Amino acid sequence: HQGGVVVFPMALFLLFFVPARRAASLFWLGAGVMASYLPFVLYAWSIGNLANFWQWGYLANFRYVELGAKISIWKPLLEAILLSILATHLILWLVTAQRLKDFLKQIFLGQRKEDFAFVFFGFSWFAVTVLAISLGLRFYQHYFIQLTPILIFLAAPRLTERFENWKNFSLQQNKKK
């Protein structure tokens, strides 16, 4: 699931940040997607289950999404968000929120830094994943585990900087000697 979700941000990244080889890059991205998907389709076809593969892999999932719109979402959404943020990876969420603030400054103030493309990819991946999680309007806590790789991707550079400067860190660094 997540492999399919990340294809869209990858295509956006290639479209906006690799202009010299845009067509070739998009072609190879599509070829890679097909190379990973085609064996499953061919196998289902070879054993006579292509109709079932389509039925249960796609049609049933879209029906599931459609039925989810008929339930109340607020309580499960709040529980899932609180558990996702507070119970798992709080530091990753905080660092990612800082990255988002800096990224929005770069966009609105027009001061792009060298990591702009990296962060653009990360937040477009994040947005598409949130969309995928939200499709059925069922916000089960385990759905939010899909955000973990993205949070790590976005938070890792900042956390690495902080750990590399750990020797210089002091709780009394702002006090006068």
Side-chain angles (χ1 to χ4, degrees):
H1 173 78
Q2 189 60 27
V5 168
V6 78
V7 169
F8 182 70
M10 286 177 136
L12 283 177
F13 177 81
L14 294 172
L15 199 61
F16 292 117
F17 298 103
V18 188
R21 298 185 318 263
R22 183 176 299 148
S25 297
L26 290 172
F27 170 79
W28 286 113
L29 176 65
V33 169
M34 291 309 296
S36 63
Y37 183 73
L38 198 54
F40 294 103
V41 173
L42 291 174
Y43 176 72
W45 174 74
S46 73
I47 62 171
N49 276 334
L50 189 57
N52 286 336
F53 177 75
W54 179 253
Q55 172 66 31
W56 294 107
Y58 295 95
L59 298 179
N61 281 325
F62 285 115
R63 253 185 262 123
Y64 177 80
V65 167
E66 181 183 317
L67 292 172
K70 297 178 174 90
I71 60 175
S72 174
I73 66 166
W74 299 109
K75 185 176 183 250
L77 176 61
L78 182 61
E79 287 174 356
I81 289 173
L82 287 175
L83 283 172
S84 176
I85 293 173
L86 297 177
T88 62
H89 320 308
L90 180 60
I91 191 76
L92 294 175
W93 281 98
L94 293 173
V95 174
T96 301
Q98 283 182 321
R99 294 284 311 253
L100 178 60
K101 183 182 80 166
D102 294 345
F103 180 66
L104 293 174
K105 276 186 191 176
Q106 288 181 42
I107 290 173
F108 292 114
L109 299 178
Q111 302 167 343
R112 292 188 179 182
K113 295 181 182 173
E114 60 196 42
D115 70 341
F116 183 81
F118 173 84
V119 180
F120 173 85
F121 171 73
F123 281 114
S124 60
W125 183 15
F126 186 89
V128 172
T129 301
V130 168
L131 178 66
I133 290 169
S134 304
L135 277 177
L137 298 177
R138 290 178 176 91
F139 298 100
Y140 301 123
Q141 291 86 358
H142 69 279
Y143 284 11
F144 287 82
I145 198 78
Q146 297 175 70
L147 294 172
T148 302
I150 306 159
L151 292 171
I152 292 167
F153 179 83
L154 288 166
R158 289 272 171 89
L159 291 173
T160 301
E161 287 173 16
R162 290 185 180 144
F163 286 124
E164 286 174 349
N165 293 324
W166 189 258
K167 291 184 287 187
N168 301 330
F169 180 75
S170 168
L171 291 175
Q172 300 176 359
Q173 63 189 16
N174 293 330
K175 293 183 179 181
K176 294 183 180 184
K177 295 179 180 181

